[in-house]
Amino acid sequence: MLKTVAVVLIDEFAPFEFGVLCEVFGVDRTDEGVPPIEFRVCAERPGVPLRTTVGVPLTPDHGLAALADADLVAMPAANIRAEYPPAVLDAIRAASERGSTLLTVCSGAFLLAATGLLDGRLCTTHWRHAQEFAERFPQAKLDPDVLFVDDGDIITSAGTAAGIDACLHYVRRELGAGPATAIARRMVVPPQRDGGQRQYVELPIPESTGDSLEPVLTWMLHNLDAEHTVAGLARRAQLSERTFARRFVAETGTTPLRWLSMQRVLHAQQLLEETTLSVEEVAQKCGFGGAALLRHHFTRVVGVGPKDYRRTFAATLSGRVTATVE
């Protein structure tokens, strides 16, 4: 059972992600049926202020020895660096060997990965850092699409709100649904979110590297609701089908039909965010023909269905955003 949480801080840590851990584990909610949790803020040199990413220093009370009997050792986000403090890495390794569960928020996964404990383990981090993480720690099994990964004694999460998801999941796993729901209610957040990181990634519009097909590409973007075939597009470009297909891949990096599908999904995102059109109407305007086909392609690219995406990102007619996202 979860009784003790130790948060490990290093220089230039992110106070908001640290605050996530404080809010979930460090606030006394025994009056709402949540079992008491001893919360420790630890660092290599207790009593010495640490810098944060926003210029406000914080002084931890506990040293690394406080990790010794912690049920959970948590690592918030911090500025990514080439090397991490050896004493901190050793303390995290020792806590793992003694049976502590390890949890990271956002770029905290870099600190944990530097210990070697993520080698061969499923994990995640913020999508913006995914490529760098994969290059630095190739032995880790990174999944950049999910909000968090529960791999038993190691839990890793993506951005800020995903850290809340991971923490509440751990509370639910160790203490049950009641305490997790009580904490979520006080924080005014859902006890559990659907989908993964892909719904928060800004999808780039593939651009051509040349200008020979630019008129055709522009025409396709202006006529997404029309039916398109490679043969018809080749005729418009005044090329043979084989030459058109080869040149299209060379200029865009993908096939005509895949490029078209991506542009339709991008347009669907815009319509779901900015209009009150039904999903069926959005599908028609984007050229998917029907809601079922839209759901298939949209979920494959974005990670959630159109309705779930709209609930998160849609704006009201007055322009007020209906949901905040990380």
Side-chain angles (χ1 to χ4, degrees), residues 37-103:
I37 299 173
E38 183 181 350
F39 189 74
R40 304 168 182 170
V41 181
C42 313
E44 183 176 1
R45 294 184 295 169
V48 177
L50 290 175
R51 292 175 296 173
T52 69
T53 55
V54 297
V56 179
L58 184 141
T59 304
D61 290 334
H62 298 274
L64 298 176
L67 276 63
D69 60 345
D71 300 307
L72 177 69
V73 174
M75 290 146 270
N79 279 348
I80 298 169
R81 61 210 70 192
E83 296 182 357
Y84 289 87
V88 174
L89 300 178
D90 289 341
I92 295 171
R93 294 188 192 101
S96 178
E97 291 176 1
R98 287 189 296 268
S100 297
T101 297
L102 309 177
L103 183 148

Side-chain angles (χ1 to χ4, degrees), residues 1-319:
M1 181 175 291
L2 174 62
K3 294 182 180 179
T4 306
V5 174
V7 178
V8 182
L9 297 182
I10 59 176
D11 207 28
E12 297 182 334
F13 71 91
F16 198 105
E17 283 73 7
F18 169 62
V20 167
L21 299 169
C22 295
E23 184 70 20
V24 175
F25 301 112
V27 177
D28 183 356
R29 305 193 195 278
T30 53
D31 60 334
E32 296 189 51
V34 180
I37 299 173
E38 183 181 350
F39 189 74
R40 304 168 182 170
V41 181
C42 313
E44 183 176 1
R45 294 184 295 169
V48 177
L50 290 175
R51 292 175 296 173
T52 69
T53 55
V54 297
V56 179
L58 184 141
T59 304
D61 290 334
H62 298 274
L64 298 176
L67 276 63
D69 60 345
D71 300 307
L72 177 69
V73 174
M75 290 146 270
N79 279 348
I80 298 169
R81 61 210 70 192
E83 296 182 357
Y84 289 87
V88 174
L89 300 178
D90 289 341
I92 295 171
R93 294 188 192 101
S96 178
E97 291 176 1
R98 287 189 296 268
S100 297
T101 297
L102 309 177
L103 183 148
T104 68
V105 180
C106 193
S107 60
F110 282 76
L111 171 59
L112 181 55
T115 67
L117 293 173
L118 287 181
D119 290 355
R121 302 292 296 268
L122 294 173
C123 60
T124 194
T125 190
H126 195 290
W127 59 268
R128 292 190 66 182
H129 307 309
Q131 182 175 350
E132 180 181 0
F133 185 93
E135 292 172 353
R136 287 186 58 178
F137 308 107
Q139 299 302 315
K141 298 180 179 179
L142 179 70
D143 185 345
D145 291 334
V146 296
L147 296 175
F148 65 87
V149 172
D150 181 345
D151 197 32
D153 60 342
I154 293 180
I155 300 174
T156 51
S157 64
T160 304
I164 299 175
D165 297 324
C167 291
L168 291 176
H169 167 78
Y170 179 69
V171 171
R172 187 181 304 108
R173 191 184 86 177
E174 298 299 316
L175 301 179
T181 301
I183 295 173
R185 186 182 301 114
R186 281 282 294 271
M187 294 176 66
V188 197
V189 298
Q192 184 172 347
R193 286 192 298 162
D194 297 324
Q197 290 196 73
R198 278 181 292 170
Q199 61 186 306
Y200 301 101
V201 179
E202 182 178 356
L203 296 173
I205 298 177
E207 298 179 355
S208 68
T209 56
D211 60 0
S212 61
L213 293 181
E214 187 172 347
V216 177
L217 297 175
T218 301
W219 181 82
M220 292 170 69
L221 287 173
H222 291 163
N223 295 273
L224 291 175
D225 57 342
E227 292 188 15
H228 299 288
T229 64
V230 173
L233 294 171
R235 284 194 299 271
R236 178 170 289 274
Q238 298 181 343
L239 297 170
S240 69
E241 291 185 35
R242 180 176 297 181
T243 301
F244 173 79
R246 184 176 64 251
R247 188 173 296 177
F248 198 98
V249 172
E251 293 193 9
T252 69
T254 188
T255 66
L257 296 182
R258 287 180 179 176
W259 188 90
L260 180 62
S261 178
M262 176 63 77
Q263 302 316 307
R264 285 171 167 166
V265 169
L266 289 167
H267 189 46
Q269 285 183 291
Q270 180 182 4
L271 293 177
L272 290 167
E273 292 176 21
E274 300 177 359
T275 76
T276 59
L277 294 172
S278 68
V279 173
E280 183 68 33
E281 289 172 321
V282 170
Q284 294 291 337
K285 286 186 173 294
C286 293
F288 283 115
L293 193 58
L294 168 62
R295 282 192 293 269
H296 170 76
H297 288 281
F298 196 94
T299 303
R300 178 179 58 82
V301 173
V302 183
V304 295
K307 290 183 178 180
D308 290 332
Y309 182 86
R310 169 171 270 170
R311 276 196 296 268
T312 302
F313 290 96
T316 63
L317 293 179
S318 63

